[in-house]
Amino acid sequence: MPQGQNNMFEKKFASLPDQDHYTNQNLTDKSQHISDNLHQTEVNNQSFYQGLDDHPQEECAIFGIFAPGEDAARMTYFGLHALQHRGQQSAGIAIADGVSVVGTKDKGLVTQVFNEATLSSLEGHIAIGHTRYSSGGPRDSWESAQPHLSTIDDEIIALANNGTLLNTNELRAKLIDRGIDFRTNTASEVAAKLIGDFTRETQHMREGIRKCMELIKGAYSMVLITPTALYAFRDPSGFRPLSIGELPNGRGWVVASETCGLDIVGAKYVRDVMPGEVIRINKDGLAFEQALPARRRSLCVFEFVYIARPDSNIDGLNVYRSRENMGRRLAEEHPVEADMVIGVPDSGVPSAVGYARASGIPYSEGIVKNRYVGRTFIQPTQTLRELGVRLKLNPLTSTIKDKRLIVVDDSIVRGTTSKQLIEMLRDAGAKEVHMRITSPPVVWPCFYGVDIETQEQLISAKYSVEEVCKSIGADSLAYISLEGLLESCHTDNPGFCSACFSGDYPIDVPKNVQQTSFCGSLEPRFWENA
């Protein structure tokens, strides 16, 4: 912690009023839901369907816009729609009109939370939006949805976060000791109240953000609005992407977790928010400053492997191209004789194309994905539950029957889906199934925003490649090397976090978290302690 920071909490922290300032329309919409039981049914169903998806899950997406004369709420809606893949549990928009800030949020997809009435009620030219992923339990409450609204004296602010903070419990406890109340257990509320108090102390929002960034520890990209301005800032290691775009004819500015969120509203990509940087957009235009020195760059490599949309660009590299590169490298590292290459939708498909082109083995679509099964109020029967992965994926029997298949997927986390997938392909007549994975074995948990919380969850932390191959029932199994993966993702600003593969963590993790997250004799390494 920088010199002088230790006594910052010795000052009296004034409590911020807990005024949610959510629109009446939002409350009306909530009351129109059939019942809270339907919400709980959907949450339970989501947990089941998520269990069919054996991939690391990203926590959130964020979007922000400053566009005088434009329908900022509607543009934010479409931006969130483009970013929906990053989180499906809740969605929200907060909007400012130069005088005040209001918001609407709820559990569900963007299309379920917002309709014409809610969007029409959100009037203003500055907005932020958020979609959220959570692994279930109390974090799925309505209060935990974002953006989070708070106040600085009489001024309302709204904040949305993509990532995970490691020291929120410590900071929350110190704030509570100073008389500040909390309504949720979210990191976003901690960040909002820290920013609020420091802004009150310094009388400068960017300085309030900077002081907050000095205290919080972890992976984050955040957007914040006041009644008159939009702010965006990113942790000093740059774990989570955050892009800046400009609307045509100087109509305004947009920030988004991925460039696909810029494309959908017609914004032209300008550059990324740099690690440790704060940008402010208001009537005077765009201003930026390096709030904290950038650390060793640690962009999450899983953005390229699985999380990001294939049409997005991160640090100058197209995600589809990176996945195709992974497939080519995998073919070079682990060739095998076969009749056909197929990809597991969606992220495995570009890599399968790359593998086929490098190996000369024909590519074909062999698996069809049901994209809408996970969002339903109807509980599946036990018979349907026993179908497992077949509810989401269906083989093209006419294509794969009597074929030796190379099946390209992005990762194996727990191994459950891979086993069911291979059984399904064999039932459809596949003669051989050779699994090729475009990431190294996932051996270590993630603490920086991807839902891999404990090593106990990970099949590769407990078993060798040969044992995993036998467990999932493949004829052969091979993973891309870490070197091969990183070279496939060479960007304009190289530097990745690959801790889930290597055990080399960029930021230290609290001891109590380590005690519950790691197992076995392998010891993680933390760059901060090196």
Side-chain angles (χ1 to χ4, degrees):
M1 185 176 291
Q3 187 176 7
Q5 295 281 312
N6 290 326
N7 60 11
M8 279 192 177
F9 282 102
E10 300 305 316
K11 299 182 176 69
K12 178 73 173 176
F13 274 65
S15 178
L16 299 178
D18 267 318
Q19 303 174 39
D20 273 339
H21 294 276
Y22 283 94
T23 62
N24 291 334
Q25 180 64 51
N26 180 58
L27 297 177
T28 301
D29 290 340
K30 285 176 66 63
S31 68
Q32 292 174 351
H33 284 230
I34 299 174
S35 72
D36 289 339
N37 288 335
L38 283 180
H39 264 310
Q40 188 57 52
T41 299
E42 187 183 17
V43 168
N44 292 340
N45 290 345
Q46 289 171 28
S47 298
F48 167 66
Y49 290 114
Q50 288 163 10
L52 304 181
D53 193 358
D54 189 25
H55 300 89
Q57 299 294 330
E58 164 63 9
E59 295 287 352
C60 305
I62 55 175
F63 182 92
I65 184 169
F66 183 98
E70 301 290 335
D71 189 340
R74 196 171 298 271
M75 295 179 80
T76 302
Y77 168 87
F78 284 107
L80 294 180
H81 198 275
L83 299 167
Q84 183 75 84
H85 59 285
R86 300 182 73 92
Q88 298 87 41
Q89 269 59 50
S90 65
I93 294 174
I95 195 159
D97 59 2
V99 178
S100 188
V101 176
V102 296
T104 295
K105 64 180 183 179
D106 208 343
K107 295 162 65 175
L109 294 173
V110 174
T111 53
Q112 294 172 315
V113 173
F114 299 102
N115 55 32
E116 284 292 336
T118 52
L119 291 174
S120 297
S121 71
L122 297 172
E123 298 180 352
H125 62 284
I126 314 169
I128 59 173
H130 188 270
T131 65
R132 185 169 185 270
Y133 169 84
S134 176
S135 57
R139 293 188 296 172
D140 281 331
S141 66
W142 179 86
E143 289 80 5
S144 296
Q146 297 183 46
H148 177 81
L149 270 66
S150 191
T151 55
I152 305 173
D153 296 327
D154 294 330
E155 183 173 86
I156 306 166
I157 65 170
L159 180 143
N161 173 38
N162 171 30
T164 299
L165 304 186
L166 298 172
N167 61 338
T168 50
N169 290 339
E170 171 192 347
L171 296 174
R172 184 185 292 109
K174 290 181 178 180
L175 290 167
I176 290 172
D177 286 345
R178 302 306 189 267
I180 294 181
D181 297 325
F182 285 83
R183 295 191 59 176
T184 74
N185 290 322
T186 65
S188 300
E189 186 174 14
V190 172
K193 293 195 172 182
L194 278 173
I195 291 169
D197 200 82
F198 285 134
T199 299
R200 183 185 297 107
E201 177 186 294
T202 63
Q203 294 299 302
H204 195 287
M205 175 61 73
R206 272 187 288 173
E207 184 64 11
I209 292 172
R210 186 188 68 78
K211 286 181 174 290
C212 172
M213 292 172 69
E214 288 179 339
L215 288 180
I216 60 178
K217 184 178 179 181
Y220 58 87
S221 288
M222 298 190 191
V223 287
L224 179 151
I225 56 171
T226 69
T228 58
L230 165 67
Y231 295 83
F233 46 103
R234 193 177 176 197
D235 71 77
S237 299
F239 283 99
R240 298 287 141 217
L242 190 58
S243 299
I244 307 169
E246 185 176 14
L247 294 171
N249 303 316
R251 291 175 11 237
W253 296 89
V254 179
V255 293
S257 292
E258 295 180 32
T259 58
C260 64
L262 308 180
D263 296 338
I264 198 170
V265 297
K268 182 180 179 181
Y269 170 79
V270 175
R271 67 174 180 87
D272 293 321
V273 177
M274 302 305 292
E277 186 178 44
V278 176
I279 69 164
R280 184 206 66 202
I281 306 169
N282 62 12
K283 61 181 178 60
D284 298 319
L286 185 148
F288 52 90
E289 66 176 78
Q290 192 67 34
L292 297 181
R295 301 171 53 129
R296 178 174 169 180
R297 198 173 184 90
S298 303
L299 176 67
C300 175
V301 74
F302 248 111
E303 291 284 349
F304 288 102
V305 173
Y306 174 73
I307 295 169
R309 249 176 56 166
D311 54 332
S312 288
N313 298 309
I314 301 175
D315 281 339
L317 177 63
N318 175 255
V319 173
Y320 185 98
R321 178 61 56 85
S322 72
R323 290 176 185 164
E324 189 174 335
N325 292 343
M326 295 172 206
R328 290 179 180 274
R329 182 62 175 260
L330 194 53
E332 295 170 4
E333 293 183 351
H334 300 288
V336 63
E337 290 187 4
D339 303 311
M340 182 182 298
V341 182
I342 66 173
V344 179
D346 289 307
S347 53
V349 172
S351 300
V353 171
Y355 193 107
R357 288 175 175 171
S359 66
I361 300 171
Y363 166 82
S364 180
E365 184 175 357
I367 302 170
V368 177
K369 183 177 181 179
N370 181 354
R371 303 181 187 281
Y372 307 105
V373 69
R375 300 298 305 194
T376 176
F377 291 109
I378 307 302
Q379 294 191 43
T381 65
Q382 183 58 36
T383 301
L384 286 174
R385 287 178 180 271
E386 290 171 357
L387 290 175
V389 75
R390 294 174 187 267
L391 287 175
K392 291 191 73 172
L393 302 174
N394 199 39
L396 283 170
T397 303
S398 61
T399 300
I400 65 178
K401 186 177 180 181
D402 297 326
K403 297 294 194 304
R404 298 172 297 168
L405 302 180
I406 297 171
V407 181
V408 183
D409 202 358
D410 57 77
S411 60
I412 296 177
V413 179
R414 299 164 184 85
T416 52
T417 300
S418 298
K419 182 176 182 178
Q420 294 180 36
L421 175 65
I422 292 168
E423 290 174 352
M424 180 182 72
L425 293 172
R426 292 197 189 280
D427 290 344
K431 187 182 296 183
E432 296 176 8
V433 180
H434 301 274
M435 293 296 294
R436 294 295 180 266
I437 308 301
T438 57
S439 62
V442 180
V443 180
W444 302 89
C446 176
F447 307 104
Y448 309 132
V450 176
D451 183 34
I452 310 173
E453 296 183 347
T454 67
Q455 208 166 23
E456 185 64 33
Q457 299 171 277
L458 307 174
I459 189 170
S460 294
K462 297 176 287 186
Y463 302 106
S464 67
V465 173
E466 292 75 17
E467 289 170 328
V468 173
C469 180
K470 184 177 180 180
S471 173
I472 64 176
D475 290 283
S476 71
L477 168 65
Y479 301 82
I480 195 172
S481 65
L482 180 56
E483 179 185 14
L485 172 61
L486 297 181
E487 290 181 0
S488 299
C489 302
H490 183 75
T491 69
D492 294 341
N493 298 291
F496 292 102
C497 176
S498 57
C500 55
F501 310 127
S502 65
D504 292 325
Y505 290 90
I507 298 177
D508 204 355
V509 176
K511 295 298 182 184
N512 64 313
V513 176
Q514 293 187 37
Q515 291 170 359
T516 59
S517 298
F518 298 119
C519 64
S521 60
L522 296 175
E523 288 292 330
R525 296 166 297 278
F526 297 96
W527 296 353
E528 287 184 332
N529 300 334

